[in-house]
Amino acid sequence: MFKLENYPKGFLWGASTSAFQVEGASNKDGKGVSVVDLANHGKEYCDFSIASDFYHNYKEDIKLFSQLGMKSYRFSISWTRIYPQGNGEINQKGIDYYNDLINELVKYKIEPIVTIYHFDLPWALEEQGGWANRKLMLEAFTNYAKTLFENFGDRVKYWLTINEQNILTMVNMIGLFVPGVKKSPQLCYQESHVMTLAQALVIKMYHKDFKNQKGKIGPAPNIAMAYPASAKPEDVLAASNANVMRNWMYTDVCVNGKYNPIALSYFKQANIDIDFQTGDDEILENGKPDFIAFNYYSTFTVKAAEPNFEYQKNNGLDQQTGFDVPGMFVSVKNENLKANEYGWEIDPIGFRTTLRELYSRYLLPVMITENGIGVREELNQNNTVEDDYRIDYYKNHLLEMRKAITDGVEIISYNPWTAIDLVSSHQGFQKRYGFIYVNRDEHDLKDMKRYCKKSFYWYQDVIKNNGNSIK
Ligand code: BG6
């Protein structure tokens, strides 16, 4: 018999978005240009310029979040609203906007969980080399984070440094982040090292200089357990490699201040020469997180790879459908799992496994900052969406999360992706994730009105019962 534990009192039931995917107003009130503003996803998909127009509707939207019962809201700050050029001159209108937004959340007793950087790097920084320009980026990122702590730290108690550093590193290699722009593994891993240093510096600064704010700070990678395709020892080893390359390479160095040895050995074998400088060890040693936030969509399954370090094409793959590291592992389909219409496998039990592994590895509290299902949807005659598939998806994941709590995993907060429909990072507006429908199409803006989906009322009930209705 397995007796389920209840969720702790004060558990933060929330939902998630990111600035560039929800706000719109991409050139309003002094905002500068970011890399995502320039991303061209082709004619088929909309750009991010209008998105869900949350920028102008945030008061009404937050009111709906409050009706949903949200106890937390995980969102990101647009770097170029605060610093249009990434560094240098501050844009007061950006500060005012986020002050108002945060005050609105406080008014409804919704805990702000703020991502400092969610993919939207200022273009002015990218032009100067972006994350490959170590000096520039260490300075710009710490300066930007400091500005956020100074202006919002009295009300924001949970900070997330970088959203999905691991995915950013991988999709840049595949050429998916900015379509057509494929970076070499050498460049991607070097950029990632600079991000790791920047993150550690920001964590250290927050702990030292903003101690009196009594908040917490952590990373927000996308963590997914790798399964071996078979019990063949070669495949089990491949899964071990995959867990390092996709997960532990990023979290070990963040939590322990030291790189995973298997990752270091891979760099050597693959002739990837990371520019480790004197003093890096000390930076990494002194900037350790208070918790780990992570995004979870699915597990992934791998088999042994041919011993060949030449980088492959990875055509057709994305952040969830797979990723190969030549010589280390090759992604394969898991025949035991169903997938959504975009090929993302659905694995609630894998969610429990991932939570257990992550918690046992570091013994740090965890927070879920994304989890959800993207679907093409339309309003029906009753002005709603009967999204039973989404309810099923969440029901199954929440049951496994409750089992993980019973297993002893310390979880602070759950923030599904997304609170409200927004622009998918790769498939425009047609791939919807929200509890709230936004009445626009890919290219027809219609009236942008908000409608609650069936899952809205279902999640409202879950929150009312502190999750304990799921059994
Ligand atoms: C995560 C990102 O990788 O997955 C989000 O943090 C993204 O920004 C989400 O939207 C879902 O991916 P997609 O491509 O379906 O939008």
Side-chain angles (χ1 to χ4, degrees), residues 21 118 163-164 319 344 370 417 424-426 431 433:
Q21 295 175 272
H118 190 127
N163 180 69
E164 296 193 346
Q319 69 260 50
W344 291 21
E370 288 182 31
W417 185 259
S424 144
S425 65
H426 301 112
K431 189 184 193 184
Y433 283 92

Side-chain angles (χ1 to χ4, degrees), residues 15-280:
S16 197
T17 63
S18 87
F20 76 94
Q21 295 175 272
V22 77
E23 285 178 1
S26 65
N27 57 7
K28 262 290 225 10
D29 292 339
K31 182 185 169 299
V33 177
S34 80
V35 290
V36 291
D37 294 327
L38 299 180
N40 176 8
H41 289 274
K43 282 203 181 121
E44 197 185 341
Y45 303 122
C46 66
D47 60 22
F48 299 105
S49 58
I50 295 169
S52 310
D53 202 22
F54 181 79
Y55 187 79
H56 295 109
N57 283 284
Y58 71 93
K59 286 201 175 157
E60 293 79 7
D61 290 341
I62 291 174
K63 195 168 170 195
L64 278 175
F65 296 174
S66 148
Q67 283 165 17
L68 175 56
M70 278 164 56
K71 307 280 182 252
S72 58
Y73 174 42
R74 181 271 190 157
F75 63 99
S76 73
I77 289 186
S78 156
W79 191 335
T80 50
R81 267 192 215 294
I82 305 292
Y83 284 107
Q85 300 301 309
N87 215 351
E89 192 126 338
I90 205 163
N91 176 31
Q92 189 55 40
K93 283 193 176 157
I95 300 279
D96 295 347
Y97 171 68
Y98 288 109
N99 258 329
D100 290 349
L101 192 159
I102 292 166
N103 287 342
E104 203 63 17
L105 294 172
V106 171
K107 178 170 122 191
Y108 289 107
K109 298 194 169 52
I110 299 175
E111 187 79 47
I113 299 175
V114 178
T115 319
I116 297 173
Y117 163 55
H118 190 127
F119 298 165
D120 49 357
L121 189 70
W123 177 247
L125 297 178
E126 179 69 15
E127 271 189 316
Q128 296 170 70
W131 287 105
N133 186 338
R134 173 187 168 118
K135 189 171 174 300
L136 172 84
M137 290 309 297
L138 295 188
E139 213 180 279
F141 190 62
T142 43
N143 176 57
Y144 164 53
K146 182 166 174 263
T147 303
L148 302 192
F149 300 151
E150 282 169 352
N151 284 279
F152 313 125
D154 56 332
R155 286 149 294 155
V156 175
K157 299 300 159 197
Y158 291 100
W159 293 99
L160 311 170
T161 50
I162 300 176
N163 180 69
E164 296 193 346
Q165 180 189 340
N166 56 338
I167 297 297
L168 208 50
T169 305
M170 294 187 303
V171 296
N172 268 324
M173 277 183 238
I174 303 174
L176 190 74
F177 186 62
V178 179
V181 179
K182 213 164 168 181
K183 297 184 178 177
S184 68
Q186 164 68 43
L187 180 57
C188 292
Y189 287 118
Q190 176 58 35
E191 290 188 347
S192 178
H193 177 60
V194 175
M195 280 188 230
T196 304
L197 293 171
Q199 170 171 268
L201 285 172
V202 163
I203 293 178
K204 179 183 167 196
M205 169 175 67
Y206 185 63
H207 285 153
K208 193 169 152 274
D209 302 341
F210 296 90
K211 206 176 178 170
N212 60 345
Q213 294 186 349
K214 298 193 169 65
K216 293 185 190 312
I217 188 163
N222 175 316
I223 302 293
M225 281 297 102
Y227 294 149
S230 77
K232 265 174 36 195
E234 291 84 351
D235 289 345
V236 175
L237 187 65
S240 164
N241 284 338
N243 278 314
V244 169
M245 298 306 288
R246 193 187 191 288
N247 303 317
W248 312 140
M249 182 201 297
Y250 303 89
T251 46
D252 283 359
V253 64
C254 177
V255 178
N256 304 330
K258 284 184 180 54
Y259 270 93
N260 182 292
I262 298 157
L264 289 177
S265 152
Y266 165 75
F267 292 151
K268 220 168 162 183
Q269 297 292 329
N271 292 321
I272 291 167
D273 187 15
I274 307 286
D275 179 24
F276 292 113
Q277 296 189 7
T278 320
D280 284 5

